[in-house]
Amino acid sequence: MTYPRYPKYRESGVEWLGDVPEGWGVKKVGFCCDFYTGWTPPTGDESSYDGDLPWANISDIGPKFLTETAKRISMSAVRKHKIRIAPNGSLLFSFKLSVGQVSIAAVPMYTNEAIAIFQSSANILSRWAYYTFPICIPKNSSENIYGAKMLNQYLIKSAKIVLPPFEEQQAIAAFLDAETARIDTLITEYETLIDLLKEKRQALISHAVTKGLNPDVPMKDSGVEWLGEVPEHWSVKAIKWESTVQRGASPRPIEDPIYFDDEGEYAWVRISDVTASNVYLWETEQRLSHIGEKLSVKLQPGTLFLSIAGSVGKPCITEIKCCIHDGFVWFPAWRKSTKFIYYVFASGQPYKGLGKMGTQLNLNTDTIGSIYIGMPSLEEQCAIAAFLDTETARMDALVQEAEIGINLLRERRTTLISDAVTGKIDVRDWQEMA
């Protein structure tokens, strides 16, 4: 949908802003509105934190309307440190770390000193400032040596904002409230679809690696809790009966540059490389020197390995020559379908009873080797793996389409807000659709 532009524009005198509608002002924050900050009571003073008064930190900021805070403070702390309250309806603006994050206080609350509190006034509507300040104020930020934005109270006061008449602020806020809510609803629908697809994907993998593809075959009790019933013709074996489980190794000290060579034959696999990969490992950020590879464990293309640190329990099949450290294990004598055992681990089901998937899992060579799995014939393993390749690829494509849709909607949302608050579009006559 396209929106009209204002009949007349004038130069704003601000490079990033360009022209603004005639009749709109461009002013420094300090000249058109007041703000103040909260405070943090000493963390060692337990009596300051045993109250029931909401106290917002930067981590709380984000929801449009903030009703709950992770921490609370006592009235004695408020009185002792003279912490000013943020009344209901105030705009809470984070100006440290998450610069430009905003929320509107839905209940009276207190904040720490990293949050600027703006109240609605005769000149400024908080609902309009919610959309405008995150665009305008960070333009006046400085940067630290890492390129991160930095603001302080002086920079906030001297930041320039575009200021339409109050009634136009109301119109802009009403327009953006409705249109962003509509976009957010669509994003939520996409996110729900993605969650459902991912759940279906996991259920499909779990069913295939424990029940097979033929629903009519006789079943038997496996005697293993996570497997349940398996096809009668399958065997049930511990992984260590099919292959030893061996750990990787690391050159020490790992920071020594002697162990690395950008032209080295073997890639050096780190947890971050596996986390960034899907099924296959195609590249890594580092490569080992000849000295480094001799002190690690070499894997050839087509080999499966499993993380036991970081993204614990994630399987990966390397498509390149690589070396793994002791945060991974592999299966040197595995002679069955590599892709089948990949899907067994990818289901997450073998780890039941060992902890939660991820960093809370406690895995080592013994626990991995002692996992019992259902073992069909090699031919059936390959058939199951081929089926899962096709079906998971189809679901992954649907997830990707939904993610693209989300990104487009977020871009649309950002552009719409920017255009409305800077006067690139005229929404004064906008009417909400019934």
Side-chain angles (χ1 to χ4, degrees), residues 23-65:
W24 284 28
V26 177
K27 297 184 178 182
K28 291 183 177 181
V29 170
F31 291 161
C32 60
C33 56
D34 295 322
F35 69 90
Y36 52 94
T37 67
W39 190 250
T40 300
T43 54
D45 182 5
E46 294 183 4
S47 64
S48 293
Y49 296 93
D50 64 359
D52 58 1
L53 303 175
W55 181 67
N57 285 274
I58 292 174
S59 58
D60 295 309
I61 305 299
K64 183 173 183 179
F65 295 103

Side-chain angles (χ1 to χ4, degrees), residues 123 158 168 215 252 278 420 432:
N123 297 321
S158 57
E168 287 187 47
R252 294 284 193 269
N278 192 3
E432 186 171 4

Side-chain angles (χ1 to χ4, degrees), residues 169-185:
Q169 293 181 33
Q170 293 174 313
I172 292 168
F175 166 77
L176 290 175
D177 283 347
E179 292 302 308
T180 57
R182 184 178 63 82
I183 293 173
D184 291 344
T185 297

Side-chain angles (χ1 to χ4, degrees), residues 298-317:
K298 300 176 184 178
L299 302 184
Q300 299 302 312
T303 305
L304 178 132
F305 61 99
L306 184 74
S307 63
I308 58 172
S311 53
V312 181
K314 182 173 181 179
C316 191
I317 300 173

Side-chain angles (χ1 to χ4, degrees), residues 294-413:
K294 290 168 66 174
L295 296 172
S296 185
V297 172
K298 300 176 184 178
L299 302 184
Q300 299 302 312
T303 305
L304 178 132
F305 61 99
L306 184 74
S307 63
I308 58 172
S311 53
V312 181
K314 182 173 181 179
C316 191
I317 300 173
T318 182
E319 289 296 318
I320 56 177
K321 290 183 176 181
C322 69
C323 288
I324 57 172
H325 59 64
D326 52 11
F328 301 104
V329 297
W330 70 299
F331 311 88
W334 185 261
R335 298 293 180 264
K336 302 298 193 296
S337 167
T338 299
K339 205 60 180 294
F340 176 78
I341 191 65
Y342 166 86
Y343 280 119
V344 170
F345 287 125
S347 74
Q349 297 302 304
Y351 309 123
K352 282 188 173 180
L354 301 177
K356 293 183 179 179
M357 187 71 169
T359 56
Q360 294 184 37
L361 274 177
N362 181 20
L363 300 181
N364 54 45
T365 55
D366 291 335
T367 55
I368 295 295
S370 299
I371 291 173
Y372 281 80
I373 63 174
M375 290 286 288
S377 67
L378 179 58
E379 181 182 4
E380 191 173 352
Q381 289 180 36
C382 293
I384 291 170
F387 167 79
L388 290 175
D389 283 348
T390 300
E391 292 302 308
T392 57
R394 184 178 62 82
M395 292 182 186
D396 290 344
L398 293 174
V399 168
Q400 187 176 30
E401 287 180 14
E403 289 173 340
I404 290 171
I406 288 173
N407 289 335
L408 290 173
L409 284 169
R410 285 175 174 162
E411 289 175 8
R412 168 65 176 161
R413 190 184 194 277

